[in-house]
């Protein structure tokens, strides 16, 4: 009978290789990306957890380079789609074309896969495209498959979407509805680099071409690690903490703090507690720890809750952001006393 | 893990020789271009700064200011293939990148799909009036600009090297335009402004263009030279004081950054991003290389600031009301941010 005692050493070995794999990937990414440590860490965590990321930030901060380097380091296919107001669902998912069979001469419809048939998809400026096209992407993201004329085509595995939103020039954009944002595991903010690092970047990018990331992990290994992360045990009090963080953010919930009632119109969904736990598992596993702690949950609170807590008009008029709400929420919800 | 070897440091004498070739090529190109193009010295300078660094540029200016002439002449002198695409409201992405056509094999009678390359398969693509076309087609051009390849039906077709896009825009006040989103403008290294000539030069143009004499332009360099020049440009040194100056100047244009000047908060909706600093540095290196210098000097930076930053700063509504232009803002930024003393 498999007991904790026999299962543990296997875990420990696998976790050690996972932790080392993460170090190797970060080392490869560091060859081309300067700074942005927090964003790089969070993207890698989401990647290993099998969740998708939404990144908000001004252009030119190496988002494409980050995600394409990650693809290169893991030998995965990468595609970028610029979202525009006239992009159609078929431009993402693919379309059927009439093709002639060379041998028989008969014609038939052949499915031409769209750019979504890739391991890593960068959906650039997703809020520039109308809702129907956004929905096509989100549906495929959710289902890991595309259905055209009754036939279902599975997407590649692993499949990871990094969508970007440009916070400036909001004219003529279609903000992603809350329910669609909910499908992203993490929402990350990317900001300008500190000046010292910006100087480093301009020196590095205007000199002779430097090193390129080398392949250091395969897609198959990544899928193994994704499974490993899900197998990591989590103690009941840690799950209870994640659930109460999400539940207490809902203004309709009985135990909601006053500031939630005052400033929040929509609280975090059940997906929030799901991703708080999954994100915490990824954090612990990537650090080589077999135990998921309350701190691991807290460390993913901002990226998980940021796009799931929708502030109301009063919050806006008083300049209270969802960041501020999360900060107060973390103070208001006390972690379990067991010290996990 | 084996680290891939760092690019070998070229020896100084070799760099000097490469830079001497860049300088000589520039002089030869400029004297050829002046045979045909009258009184547009700054635009010629800027086009060469961008091309020697491997960058794309945008040309703005009223009709009839020799924008197309400049691009075609540059292509001739550099012995590069050239295609002009007139952007229209009904242009499709495949009109740019190419399309698969059904072709019948004469001998066997079988039909098959063959990729017919679009006009983008050229060393220089002149994208005329790029803002007259809908966003998806604009994005198709910007994608090939970035990736330097076209992917269709699961196959990848690389573009010729070097590859440059020279785009023009019609003025935004006109009806039926699709303004290029800010993130996409950011992919152009420089914006070159061409204006009407002073009367004396205009008279010279008219005399020449109505005369009988056809000017033959000499080919001065070729595609492989340009690829080597782009390498040489990247060997130029940017002194730390100057890179700090570039970063300070660009950062001061961002209204969200604490400590930016008051007029920025008032007149700027969004400031220049990281690509502005990168491209000022690269343009300055390119200008220094064309002077035959192995180190960037303040005047090279000074020349790069306006063309690099012009399309990267968004003005506020207040600026429009007060008739403040982007150039005004950039001038005030350079006044507010002191240049380091040259040594």
């Amino acid at each position: 009978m498999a007991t904790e005692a026999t299962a543990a050493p296997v875990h420990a070995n696998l976790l050690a290789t996972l932790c080392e794999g993460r170090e190797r990937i970060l080392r490869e990414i560091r060859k081309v990306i300067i700074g942005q440590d927090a964003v790089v860490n969070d993207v890698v965590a989401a990647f290993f957890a099998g969740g998708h990321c939404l990144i908000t930030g001004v252009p030119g901060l190496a988002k494409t380079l980050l995600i394409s380097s990650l693809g290169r380091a893991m030998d995965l296919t990468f595609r970028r789609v610029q979202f525009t107001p006239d992009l159609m669902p078929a431009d993402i998912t693919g379309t059927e074309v009439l093709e002639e069979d060379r041998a028989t001469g008969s014609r038939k419809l052949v499915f031409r896969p769209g750019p979504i048939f890739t391991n890593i998809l960068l959906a650039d400026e997703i809020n520039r495209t109308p809702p129907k096209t956004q929905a096509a992407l989100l549906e495929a993201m959710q289902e890991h498959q595309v259905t055209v004329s009754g036939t279902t085509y599975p997407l590649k595995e692993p499949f990871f979407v990094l969508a970007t939103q440009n916070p400036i020039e909001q004219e003529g954009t279609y903000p992603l509805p809350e329910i669609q944002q909910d499908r992203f595991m993490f929402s990350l903010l990317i900001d300008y680099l500190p000046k010292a690092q910006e100087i480093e970047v301009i020196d590095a990018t205007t000199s002779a071409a430097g090193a390129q990331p080398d392949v250091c992990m395969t897609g198959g290994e990544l899928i193994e690690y994704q499974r490993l992360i899900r197998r990591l045990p989590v103690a009941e009090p840690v799950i209870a903490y994640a659930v109460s963080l999400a539940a207490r953010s809902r203004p309709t919930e009985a135990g909601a703090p006053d500031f939630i009632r005052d400033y929040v119109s929509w609280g975090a969904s059940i997906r929030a507690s799901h991703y708080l736990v999954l994100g915490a598992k990824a954090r612990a596993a990537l650090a080589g720890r077999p135990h998921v702690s309350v701190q691991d949950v807290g460390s993913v609170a901002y990226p998980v809750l940021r796009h799931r807590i929708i502030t109301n008009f009063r919050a806006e008029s008083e300049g209270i952001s969802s960041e501020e709400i999360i900060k107060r929420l973390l103070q208001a919800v006390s972690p379990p006393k067991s010290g996990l | 893990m084996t680290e891939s070897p760092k690019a070998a440091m070229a020896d100084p004498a070799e760099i000097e020789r490469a830079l001497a070739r860049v300088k000589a090529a520039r002089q030869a190109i400029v004297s050829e271009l002046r045979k045909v193009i009258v009184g547009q010295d700054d635009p010629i300078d800027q086009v060469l700064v961008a091309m020697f660094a491997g960058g794309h540029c945008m040309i703005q200016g009223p009709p009839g200011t020799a924008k197309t002439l400049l691009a075609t002449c540059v292509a001739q002198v550099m012995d590069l293939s050239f295609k002009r695409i007139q952007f229209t409201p009904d242009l499709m992405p495949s009109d740019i990148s190419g399309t698969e056509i059904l072709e019948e094999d004469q001998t066997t009678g079988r039909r098959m799909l063959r990729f017919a390359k679009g006009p983008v398969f050229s060393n220089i693509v002149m994208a005329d009036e790029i803002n007259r076309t809908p966003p998806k087609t604009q994005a198709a051009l910007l994608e090939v600009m970035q990736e330097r390849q076209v992917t269709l039906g699961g196959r990848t077709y690389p573009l010729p090297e070097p590859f440059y896009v020279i785009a023009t825009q019609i003025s935004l006040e006109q009806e039926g335009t699709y303004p290029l989103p800010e993130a996409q403008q950011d992919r152009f290294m420089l914006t070159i402004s061409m204006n009407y000539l002073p009367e004396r030069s205009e008279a010279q143009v008219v005399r020449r263009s109505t005369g009988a004499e056809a000017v033959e332009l000499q080919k001065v360099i070729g595609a492989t030279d340009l690829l080597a020049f782009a390498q040489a440009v990247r060997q130029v040194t940017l002194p730390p004081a100057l890179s700090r100056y570039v970063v300070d100047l660009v950062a001061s244009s961002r209204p969200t950054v604490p400590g930016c000047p008051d007029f920025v908060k008032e007149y700027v909706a969004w400031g220049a991003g990281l690509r502005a600093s990168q491209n000022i540095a690269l343009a300055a290196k390119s200008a220094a290389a064309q002077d035959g210098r192995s180190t960037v000097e303040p005047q090279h930076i000074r020349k790069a600031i306006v063309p690099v930053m012009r399309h990267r700063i968004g003005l506020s509504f207040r600026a429009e009301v007060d008739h403040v232009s982007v150039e005004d803002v950039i001038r005030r930024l350079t006044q507010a941010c002191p240049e380091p003393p040259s040594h």
Side-chain angles (χ1 to χ4, degrees):
Chain A
M1 211 172 81
T3 62
E4 284 294 330
T6 55
V10 183
H11 258 163
N13 276 342
L14 275 175
L15 283 174
T17 53
L18 169 58
C19 179
E20 190 203 322
R22 167 181 174 266
E23 292 302 322
R24 284 204 308 265
I25 286 165
L26 288 180
R27 201 157 52 225
E28 294 305 313
I29 291 176
R30 285 274 159 259
K31 285 185 189 171
V32 288
I33 303 276
I34 295 166
Q36 307 290 16
D37 289 352
V39 172
V40 171
N41 271 324
D42 286 345
V43 167
V44 169
F47 206 69
F48 276 92
H52 307 290
C53 278
L54 186 62
I55 293 196
T56 306
V58 296
L61 293 174
K63 295 185 285 266
T64 308
L65 188 61
L66 165 62
I67 194 69
S68 64
S69 308
L70 197 55
R72 193 169 295 174
M74 295 193 190
D75 201 17
L76 298 173
T77 56
F78 165 76
R79 289 296 301 269
R80 171 183 172 276
V81 176
Q82 169 70 52
F83 280 63
T84 60
D86 50 350
L87 197 77
M88 302 298 286
D91 294 324
I92 299 172
T93 53
T95 184
E96 287 190 314
V97 293
L98 200 60
E99 219 169 59
E100 197 174 87
D101 188 309
R102 295 189 191 176
T104 64
S106 66
R107 293 192 198 166
K108 58 177 184 202
L109 284 171
V110 175
F111 179 65
R112 278 290 173 84
I116 200 165
F117 289 87
T118 180
N119 292 123
I120 299 179
L121 181 74
L122 177 66
D124 229 352
E125 298 194 274
I126 190 172
N127 53 340
R128 283 203 181 279
T129 219
K132 191 165 71 176
T133 308
Q134 292 174 344
L137 170 70
L138 290 151
E139 190 184 311
M141 259 167 66
Q142 184 75 4
E143 298 179 359
H144 280 231
Q145 63 184 35
V146 167
T147 303
V148 175
S149 315
T151 314
T152 297
Y153 306 91
L155 298 186
K156 290 190 175 189
E157 296 291 344
F159 178 60
F160 178 68
V161 175
L162 185 87
T164 74
Q165 295 195 101
N166 185 348
I168 58 177
E169 237 196 2
Q170 291 298 336
E171 233 175 284
T173 60
Y174 304 85
L176 271 189
E178 285 89 45
I179 194 143
Q180 311 266 37
Q181 296 204 18
D182 201 23
R183 302 193 186 270
F184 290 91
M185 175 174 180
F186 282 170
S187 165
L188 309 175
L189 304 177
I190 189 165
D191 202 359
Y192 293 118
L193 290 166
K195 280 184 185 173
Q197 286 184 338
E198 195 164 326
I199 291 171
E200 243 183 278
V201 171
I202 71 170
D203 283 339
T205 53
T206 64
S207 309
Q212 288 296 317
D214 294 311
V215 176
C216 62
M217 188 181 284
T218 65
E221 285 175 282
L222 176 67
I223 291 174
E224 282 302 310
Y225 289 136
Q226 288 179 343
R227 291 198 186 119
L228 172 69
I229 286 171
R230 285 180 171 266
R231 286 208 307 270
L232 214 62
V234 184
E236 275 314 316
V238 176
I239 292 188
Y241 177 61
V243 170
S244 55
L245 270 181
R248 303 276 293 274
S249 78
R250 299 171 196 146
T252 49
E253 203 83 0
D258 285 345
F259 66 90
I260 294 288
R261 290 180 202 285
D262 290 345
Y263 297 123
V264 175
S265 56
W266 288 103
S269 67
I270 186 158
R271 281 207 185 93
S273 14
H274 167 82
Y275 282 129
L276 281 171
V277 172
L278 188 60
K281 283 185 173 192
R283 276 268 204 273
L286 287 166
R289 280 183 280 112
H291 302 291
V292 182
S293 70
V294 164
Q295 280 78 28
D296 291 321
V297 174
S299 77
V300 293
Y302 284 96
V304 170
L305 297 175
R306 189 176 279 137
H307 52 309
R308 293 187 163 94
I309 292 179
I310 312 300
T311 51
N312 63 16
F313 182 70
R314 177 163 168 204
E316 203 176 320
S317 66
E318 293 180 26
I320 294 191
S321 62
S322 67
E323 300 289 297
E324 175 65 25
I325 303 282
I326 299 167
K327 198 176 118 198
R328 292 197 197 176
L329 193 63
L330 286 169
Q331 288 161 356
V333 181
S334 48
K337 300 233 161 33
S338 61
L340 278 163
Chain B
M1 282 307 299
T2 50
E3 291 269 325
S4 65
K6 281 247 166 180
M9 261 313 184
D11 92 277
E14 201 177 305
I15 295 176
E16 289 299 328
R17 277 197 298 278
L19 293 175
R21 281 195 294 274
V22 173
K23 184 181 180 184
R26 181 208 137 79
Q27 284 167 346
I29 292 167
V30 170
S31 67
E32 277 306 303
L33 292 176
R34 290 218 177 116
K35 287 186 190 166
V36 181
I37 299 163
V38 178
Q40 298 279 17
D41 291 351
D42 281 351
I44 290 178
D45 258 6
Q46 289 162 5
V47 125
L48 296 185
V49 160
M51 291 182 72
F52 279 34
H56 308 290
C57 47
M58 182 81 86
I59 306 185
Q60 63 180 34
T65 43
K67 295 190 286 283
T68 310
L69 184 67
L70 176 61
T72 49
C73 291
V74 163
Q76 274 177 44
V77 169
M78 296 184 181
D79 196 16
L80 299 175
S81 55
F82 176 86
K83 287 260 172 56
R84 177 179 167 280
I85 308 172
Q86 171 66 55
F87 279 65
T88 56
D90 53 350
L91 197 77
M92 301 297 288
S94 59
D95 294 327
I96 296 175
S97 47
T99 184
E100 286 190 315
I101 52 171
L102 202 60
E103 215 181 42
E104 198 172 87
D105 191 316
Q106 297 282 351
T107 50
T108 63
R110 269 188 204 154
R111 293 190 204 163
M112 54 188 194
L113 285 172
R114 188 178 66 83
F115 179 64
K117 288 181 175 177
V120 80
F121 287 87
S122 177
N123 292 123
I124 299 185
V125 173
M126 174 138 200
D128 233 347
E129 303 186 337
I130 190 173
N131 54 344
R132 273 165 59 84
T133 216
K136 196 159 70 177
T137 309
Q138 292 174 345
L141 176 72
L142 285 141
E143 189 181 308
V144 292
M145 261 167 73
Q146 185 76 357
E147 297 181 1
R148 293 169 194 268
Q149 63 183 35
V150 170
T151 306
L152 196 79
R155 292 188 58 186
T156 298
Y157 307 89
L159 297 185
E161 285 201 57
F163 174 69
Y164 304 103
V165 171
I166 299 178
T168 72
Q169 293 198 78
I170 54 170
S171 93
L172 295 177
E173 292 81 52
Q174 290 189 39
E175 260 177 59
T177 59
Y178 302 87
L180 212 53
E182 186 271 334
Q184 308 210 22
Q185 300 221 32
D186 205 18
R187 309 210 176 260
F188 289 91
M189 181 176 181
L190 303 180
T191 296
I192 299 167
S193 179
M194 292 184 84
N195 269 310
Y196 293 119
L197 294 170
E199 273 181 36
R200 193 149 31 93
S201 305
E202 191 165 333
Q204 205 184 334
V205 171
V206 172
R207 204 175 306 124
R208 227 183 250 188
S209 62
T210 56
E213 192 188 351
V215 183
E216 191 73 20
L217 286 179
Q218 303 292 316
K219 295 178 180 22
V220 177
I221 56 167
T224 47
D225 295 315
L226 281 163
L227 295 175
F229 293 169
Q231 299 287 323
V233 162
R234 287 169 178 270
Q235 299 287 349
V236 172
T237 314
L238 179 66
L242 287 178
S243 47
R244 207 169 313 126
Y245 168 65
V246 170
V247 168
D248 283 342
L249 177 76
V250 171
S252 73
S253 76
R254 300 169 190 158
T256 51
V257 170
C260 72
D262 285 342
F263 70 91
V264 169
K265 288 195 189 104
E266 205 170 332
Y267 293 132
V268 177
W270 70 82
L274 185 55
R275 287 205 183 100
S277 331
Q278 287 171 307
N279 283 307
I280 290 176
L282 194 57
K285 287 185 177 191
S286 178
Q290 291 177 52
D291 273 354
R293 301 293 171 84
S294 61
T295 305
V296 172
E297 288 165 20
Q299 81 264 18
H300 302 127
I301 302 272
R302 219 174 292 146
K303 277 203 278 188
I305 290 169
V306 172
V308 171
M309 290 183 79
R310 184 149 44 200
H311 55 294
R312 293 187 161 93
I313 292 178
L315 295 182
S316 66
F317 182 66
R318 176 78 191 273
E320 222 170 294
V321 173
D322 291 357
H323 298 289
V324 172
S325 68
V326 174
E327 282 81 0
D328 294 334
V329 169
I330 299 173
R331 202 181 52 248
R332 292 178 69 174
L333 287 173
T334 53
Q335 284 162 358
C337 188
E339 198 178 89
S342 64
H343 36 273

